[in-house]
Amino acid sequence: MDGAVNPFSPTAVARVSEDGVTGPTVVTAAIRDAVGHLENYLRTGESVTVAVLGDYGTGKTHLAVELLARTRAAGEPVGGAIYLDAPADTFRAVSRQLLGRLSREAVRALVRQATDGIEPAAGARAERLREELAGVTADPSFGIVLAMLLEPVTEAAAWDWLTGYPPGPELVAAGVTAPTDVEAAAVETMAVLAVLHAHRRRRFVLVLDELHNLLAGRPGDEAMARLAGLIGAFASSGALLVLSGLPDLLHLLSPEVRQRIGPIVRMSALSVPDVEEFIRRSQARTFGQARLTPFTPETVDYLTNLADGVPRRVIRLCYDLYQRATQAGTPVTHVMVREAVRVQFDLASRQDVAATVRRVLTQDGWTYQRDHLLGSVRDLPVDFWIPLDEQDAGCGVLLSESVLKAEEVDELHRRVVAIRATVPDSEAILVVVGHLPPELAAELAASFSVEPIVYDPQTFAEDLSGSVKASMRRLEQAVGADAMTSVRQRVERIHRQQSNTQRSIEQLSYQLAELRGELGGSRSAGAGFDPGPATAPDTPELPGRVAQVFVEVMGALDQLTGVDRQLSDAFAPRRGAIADEGGASLRARLRSRDVQRALGTSMMLRRLIVAFRDGVAQWYDSHRRDPQATDPEALDRLCDTYDGLAEYLPLFQLDVLGDRSEADGAADQPDRSPRWSEARSLFDGLSGRVRQLMVAR
């Protein structure tokens, strides 16, 4: 195996060059369609606008480069092939980019060809150019400026006007005026260049990539008018225009513009044979031999499914897996593929997800059994079994790697049947750690109690918590548990939740006390800490900007809960009209167990932030008085401790506080509660901001 050279790209990003594509091209349906439209244009000269649609990483740019390479290789009567990457700016910026791709000398050559046989007088050339350009612009200034571009004395001034600058004295004297609409003038400039390229029926191809960038955030009517003008001008000049963008590009276009677009090419996923061909071609380019090794047909099938056939993902995986196989001296294995997918796409491992499941069940107060065996020893154990107290019933949570084949669906179905055969009154929840195609998800939903949960770190805790609660409620109804039993079970679960929270507080206190002891703080290792918002008297001060960060975070938490404001209202001196009789608004909130849990979580988060702030202050004081080489590592440990403890808090429970603040009309108040999505970023990013500010000092 040629381990010294990796035949695959580490970035999988297509680069545009005069030499054409930088990697092998697999002829997919999209490539075949686009090339067919190009070949028809090169053969007949019939102008057309083609739209190429696809998501990021699906090969749009690679396809564009392939079209340009084929155009340049066609020879006469091709006049030019140009690629532009649309900026998130203006049509004038696109026009300047086009002029830059061409260069001043190239445009001068095009003008000479268009006025070949005309006497060199500027007036005669300007007249001929006005005739040539009549189909795309009625502005006589273009003919005058292009003619002056051939004169050494006025060449620079003419080029400046074409790039969008006001006319200089020489041009003004010749009758050239500044355009009243610079965007419309930019579109006309591009159309003029297309006409010059297509002179004498030569072929001209322009690819405008990432078009959605140009249209995003722009006034709809103006943008559509400019784009419609560009498409119409290229059609009049006999050029081929390729517009490339994201799948929703067509939805951004007005009906008039959509009608002007001809064929639509949609990028599609790579199939397993496509990936095999790509691997063989890549190795043939590098080693001179088309081979599949170190991949196997089975691992190619596996990686293609895990990558959803997205070309960029496939190429990155091929690069990583080739490296792994080369270093190990073995073929690519399924284990290698799973690990590469997890690393490349930042996916959680099965162990990580199991830890999250344990945390959610514990925080919600459920009793559970890990790797519980139901049935015979031949059956696989249930990853998590949640029994219904004093009933022969329960809910199982099953963890699975990616589900990609019908055989894997059948195996999971057999597991559910075995569970229900042993415990008829049972529910089952499937958690997929990896990939689950929609069609297989629909089949599994019919077997399990609820639709399978595909692990997403942002939503998993909430999804699992809700699914378990719903499943256990259905079980209570199915077994006919009496009301008193249900109430007792729920009270016990709430008690377990409170006990778990108290243990977390005690553990946090102990860990923070240990940290203070390591940092040489003035408090003893066994001392408690002040959970209040104010810094303790013996806590050193923080630098101004770092202190402000903590003020902002604490302020966001206070505004999110709104408890301080409601408590103040409840005990405010009253005369005449009473705004909040006896704390009515707070009592209304406290009737909800969800709010109670959320307020408990907010209190714990507040204590955690205060303790983190005090620990950083102690570190800063020690570092300022006696700097040590190990200080950065000590600061990292503080920040990692905050992150690790914050991870164990059920912060998703705080959603209810933000929802209720908005429902209660808090949005009308000057200190209205921030949305939880905004406040969450402050808590999650706290350690990173503190570390960055401290290191920058």
Side-chain angles (χ1 to χ4, degrees):
M1 191 181 300
D2 304 86
V5 179
N6 193 318
F8 306 102
S9 167
T11 61
V13 177
R15 295 187 300 273
V16 181
S17 68
E18 293 298 323
D19 299 329
V21 294
T22 56
T25 297
V26 176
V27 182
T28 62
I31 295 270
R32 193 161 40 249
D33 290 348
V35 169
H37 299 314
L38 172 67
E39 291 178 345
N40 181 70
Y41 168 71
L42 295 177
R43 184 174 59 255
T44 65
E46 295 179 359
S47 178
V48 68
T49 298
V50 178
V52 176
L53 306 179
D55 216 329
Y56 294 112
T58 55
K60 299 188 302 298
T61 301
H62 184 93
L63 170 57
V65 176
E66 177 71 17
L67 295 178
L68 296 177
R70 289 175 180 260
T71 302
R72 291 164 183 155
E76 291 294 337
V78 173
I82 297 176
Y83 171 90
L84 300 180
D85 186 357
D89 200 347
T90 61
F91 283 93
R92 181 167 64 170
V94 178
S95 176
R96 287 178 174 175
Q97 187 183 157
L98 175 57
L99 287 164
R101 291 278 192 275
L102 291 171
S103 80
R104 186 190 303 182
E105 188 52 45
V107 177
R108 281 165 52 88
L110 291 173
V111 175
R112 288 195 194 94
Q113 294 171 2
T115 58
D116 185 34
I118 301 297
E119 60 180 271
R125 283 179 169 167
E127 183 61 31
R128 165 60 69 87
L129 289 167
R130 278 196 293 271
E131 295 174 1
E132 290 277 344
L133 304 175
V136 295
T137 178
D139 187 352
S141 295
F142 278 98
I144 299 172
V145 170
L146 290 175
M148 297 178 73
L149 187 66
L150 298 180
E151 303 296 330
V153 177
T154 56
E155 174 186 351
W159 183 257
D160 286 346
W161 186 87
L162 288 173
T163 54
Y165 293 101
E170 307 95 326
L171 273 64
V172 172
V176 176
T177 60
T180 56
D181 186 337
V182 293
E183 288 288 273
V187 171
E188 288 188 329
T189 299
M190 289 187 281
V192 164
L193 294 172
V195 170
L196 294 177
H197 265 98
H199 181 66
R200 295 178 181 173
R201 301 189 62 79
R202 289 180 301 176
R203 309 293 188 256
F204 176 58
V205 176
L206 176 68
V207 176
L208 185 54
D209 201 2
E210 307 293 350
L211 180 62
H212 51 272
N213 290 338
L214 184 61
L215 301 179
R218 294 180 53 77
D221 292 342
E222 292 183 12
M224 292 305 105
R226 304 294 175 251
L227 186 57
L230 180 65
I231 295 173
F234 270 71
S236 299
S237 66
L240 171 65
L241 179 62
V242 179
L243 303 176
S244 176
L246 294 176
D248 60 352
L249 174 63
L250 291 182
H251 299 294
L252 300 176
L253 306 179
S254 66
E256 179 188 3
V257 173
R258 285 200 298 269
Q259 292 172 4
R260 292 172 178 262
I261 295 176
I264 296 174
V265 176
R266 297 184 183 275
M267 305 304 297
S268 56
L270 295 175
S271 64
V272 174
D274 290 338
V275 176
E276 287 190 0
E277 181 183 354
F278 166 75
I279 292 173
R280 295 179 189 278
R281 288 194 176 191
S282 296
Q283 300 203 73
R285 284 166 61 100
T286 304
F287 307 128
Q289 179 184 0
R291 65 192 186 194
L292 191 61
T293 308
F295 299 88
T296 65
E298 292 77 18
T299 53
V300 171
D301 180 277
Y302 197 47
L303 76 88
T304 303
N305 281 285
L306 287 180
D308 288 328
V310 176
R312 184 172 297 166
R313 296 179 186 174
V314 168
I315 297 171
R316 288 178 176 174
L317 283 176
C318 286
Y319 176 87
D320 192 346
L321 292 168
Y322 189 90
Q323 291 287 97
R324 292 170 184 261
T326 300
Q327 293 169 3
T330 66
V332 173
T333 65
H334 285 69
V335 174
M336 288 182 185
V337 176
R338 284 196 297 271
E339 179 61 18
V341 169
R342 188 184 69 79
V343 172
Q344 287 286 333
F345 308 134
D346 194 24
L347 300 180
S349 66
R350 182 166 176 158
Q351 292 75 18
D352 295 334
V353 176
T356 304
V357 174
R358 287 196 300 270
R359 187 159 62 250
V360 171
L361 296 180
T362 300
Q363 290 166 353
D364 284 354
W366 299 110
T367 59
Y368 65 87
Q369 299 169 21
R370 189 74 168 89
D371 296 327
H372 183 60
L373 185 62
L374 295 174
S376 69
V377 294
R378 294 188 301 251
D379 295 320
L380 291 174
V382 176
D383 296 277
F384 294 88
W385 178 253
I386 310 166
L388 186 63
D389 293 345
E390 298 182 3
Q391 303 286 343
D392 186 17
C395 175
V397 178
L398 306 182
L399 303 185
S400 171
E401 303 283 355
S402 296
V403 182
L404 304 172
K405 298 180 180 179
E407 295 83 357
E408 295 167 335
V409 173
D410 294 340
E411 176 59 28
L412 288 168
H413 176 71
R414 283 192 291 270
R415 289 192 67 186
V416 174
V417 170
I419 292 171
R420 288 178 177 154
T422 305
V423 184
D425 293 318
S426 61
E427 297 268 334
I429 299 172
L430 175 63
V431 175
V432 178
V433 187
H435 183 65
L436 177 63
E439 62 275 12
L440 299 186
E443 294 183 32
L444 288 168
S447 301
F448 286 81
S449 306
V450 295
E451 186 174 345
I453 303 174
V454 179
Y455 180 76
D456 180 338
Q458 301 299 321
T459 61
F460 176 68
E462 184 176 358
D463 292 343
L464 178 64
S465 178
S467 295
V468 171
K469 290 176 184 176
S471 296
M472 297 303 283
R473 280 197 298 268
R474 285 196 296 270
L475 282 176
E476 287 182 354
Q477 296 171 357
V479 301
D482 61 82
M484 289 303 299
T485 300
S486 297
V487 170
R488 179 182 57 78
Q489 291 170 352
R490 290 174 185 174
V491 169
E492 289 176 355
R493 187 161 64 86
I494 292 173
H495 176 71
R496 287 193 296 269
Q497 286 179 290
Q498 293 172 339
S499 299
N500 293 333
T501 300
Q502 183 61 35
R503 281 196 298 270
S504 297
I505 294 173
E506 292 171 355
Q507 182 183 14
L508 172 61
S509 301
Y510 178 76
Q511 290 176 335
L512 288 172
E514 280 191 330
L515 276 173
R516 288 202 181 97
E518 291 179 8
L519 293 170
S522 59
R523 298 178 182 179
S524 64
F529 65 95
D530 180 8
T535 303
D538 59 346
T539 300
E541 293 185 358
L542 284 166
R545 187 63 193 96
V546 180
Q548 181 61 31
V549 168
F550 281 103
V551 170
E552 292 172 358
V553 173
M554 296 298 289
L557 182 58
D558 290 342
Q559 290 181 357
L560 182 67
T561 62
V563 171
D564 290 343
R565 182 179 63 249
Q566 290 183 315
L567 283 172
S568 298
D569 292 343
F571 293 97
R574 302 177 178 86
R575 285 185 179 178
I578 299 175
D580 188 5
E581 176 64 41
S585 60
L586 186 56
R587 287 203 309 273
R589 297 181 72 190
L590 293 176
R591 289 192 184 100
S592 167
R593 286 196 300 271
D594 288 339
V595 171
Q596 293 173 15
R597 285 192 293 268
L599 291 176
T601 299
S602 70
M603 178 196 71
M604 187 61 203
L605 178 59
R606 183 187 189 88
R607 291 188 173 195
L608 174 60
I609 294 171
V610 170
F612 178 46
R613 178 194 62 194
D614 291 351
V616 173
Q618 300 256 1
W619 174 90
Y620 176 64
D621 182 63
S622 175
H623 173 70
R624 183 174 51 183
R625 287 186 287 102
D626 183 22
Q628 299 291 327
T630 58
D631 284 353
E633 289 79 5
L635 177 62
D636 287 341
R637 286 202 306 274
L638 281 173
C639 294
D640 292 342
T641 299
Y642 171 83
D643 290 337
L645 293 173
E647 181 185 1
Y648 276 81
L649 289 178
L651 298 183
F652 64 89
Q653 293 181 349
L654 299 183
D655 290 353
V656 68
L657 298 179
D659 295 342
R660 288 179 178 267
S661 294
E662 293 179 10
D664 293 340
D668 297 330
Q669 300 178 18
D671 59 342
R672 63 183 181 277
S673 300
R675 289 186 179 275
W676 169 231
S677 59
E678 299 171 0
R680 178 68 181 267
S681 65
L682 293 176
F683 308 139
D684 287 347
L686 177 58
S687 65
R689 294 172 67 193
V690 169
R691 181 188 284 110
Q692 183 180 14
L693 290 170
M694 282 298 194
V695 171
R697 290 188 60 81

